Amino acid sequence: MDSKIEIFETIVHKLKDWFMEENNMVSIADFNDNNDFSILKLIKLHFFVTAINSNEDNTLIEEFDFFAMPYGPVETDIYSKIKESCVFSNFSIDNFKANFQEEFPRVEITQDKIDSINNAILSIKKIDCSFINADAGTLVELTHKWNSWKVIFNEARNSGVYSKPIPKELIKKDNKIFNLELAY
């Protein structure tokens, strides 16, 4: 069985490749010096990749459990791993950027999950190739436009808490908002 962490790592690597392509970077050193892949940005991008095709392909959404939290949807197992160590197979992340080693280790996830990740990123690229360059704050504001987050976070706040699980069906059926101009 593929672990959430391995799937997340693969998503992050694919996002790194997109960032490098979009910004004409040719080396990991260039990426490491110039990326803005903060913890917050990667958590938001992870949600968008998981959610975009979820109404037609539930391969990714079924692997993760997102919670409505103050900064938008968060997969709490991934967040716990980040808070525990911030170090993954060949990259680390902090509040400002990610730092990758040269080689991507072989991750043992199934081809259907790799295909779903690739298709999700391609779907976002078709909407806006520069989406990968959005800052973390803009991505947070964009997640706040999603009804699945708004409804469940309001329920959480009405119950006196700051976190509540978002049902997968709400994410699948949500009006998927990716227009960065709508963030503010």
Side-chain angles (χ1 to χ4, degrees):
M1 181 172 119
D2 304 329
S3 82
K4 290 180 180 185
I5 302 302
E6 290 170 322
I7 297 167
F8 175 75
E9 287 178 342
T10 303
I11 289 170
V12 171
H13 276 276
K14 301 285 184 177
L15 291 169
K16 170 198 48 90
D17 293 345
W18 176 13
F19 187 89
M20 289 179 68
E21 173 188 313
E22 186 64 23
N23 294 287
N24 299 313
M25 295 178 175
V26 294
S27 72
I28 293 295
D30 193 18
F31 175 84
N32 286 341
D33 289 340
N34 297 295
N35 78 82
D36 67 343
F37 276 24
S38 65
I39 293 168
L40 185 57
K41 181 171 180 171
L42 286 176
I43 286 172
K44 296 303 105 188
L45 288 171
H46 173 239
F47 171 74
F48 287 120
V49 169
T50 302
I52 189 165
N53 293 331
S54 61
N55 56 328
E56 59 208 37
D57 175 2
N58 64 7
T59 303
L60 297 177
I61 195 74
E62 290 301 323
E63 293 293 328
F64 300 106
D65 299 304
F66 288 94
F67 281 66
M69 297 177 78
Y71 290 105
V74 174
E75 212 295 336
T76 55
D77 291 334
I78 299 297
Y79 186 69
S80 293
K81 163 67 176 157
I82 291 168
K83 286 302 179 187
E84 175 186 303
S85 73
C86 289
V87 177
F88 292 84
S89 294
N90 87 320
F91 66 90
S92 60
I93 52 179
D94 62 29
N95 289 329
F96 304 102
K97 62 175 26 181
N99 188 12
F100 283 76
Q101 297 171 6
E102 285 294 328
E103 293 216 14
F104 178 49
R106 184 161 171 77
V107 177
E108 299 295 329
I109 66 170
T110 61
Q111 188 62 47
D112 65 318
K113 289 186 182 68
I114 293 170
D115 292 343
S116 291
I117 293 166
N118 289 336
N119 291 334
I121 291 173
L122 183 59
S123 293
I124 298 171
K125 281 181 171 181
K126 285 180 182 176
I127 294 167
D128 184 352
C129 254
S130 65
F131 193 86
I132 193 70
N133 289 323
D135 63 79
T138 299
L139 297 176
V140 167
E141 290 302 318
L142 196 58
T143 63
H144 287 183
K145 304 296 182 198
W146 286 51
N147 286 327
S148 55
W149 176 83
K150 284 194 276 191
V151 167
I152 301 302
F153 191 68
N154 282 337
E155 287 178 10
R157 293 303 303 131
N158 289 336
S159 298
V161 295
Y162 287 95
S163 175
K164 185 174 179 182
I166 304 173
K168 294 175 195 304
E169 285 306 311
L170 278 183
I171 296 171
K172 289 179 188 180
K173 293 176 182 175
D174 208 335
N175 181 18
K176 310 229 177 4
I177 301 169
F178 286 85
N179 183 343
L180 294 171
E181 293 175 10
L182 296 176
Y184 294 99

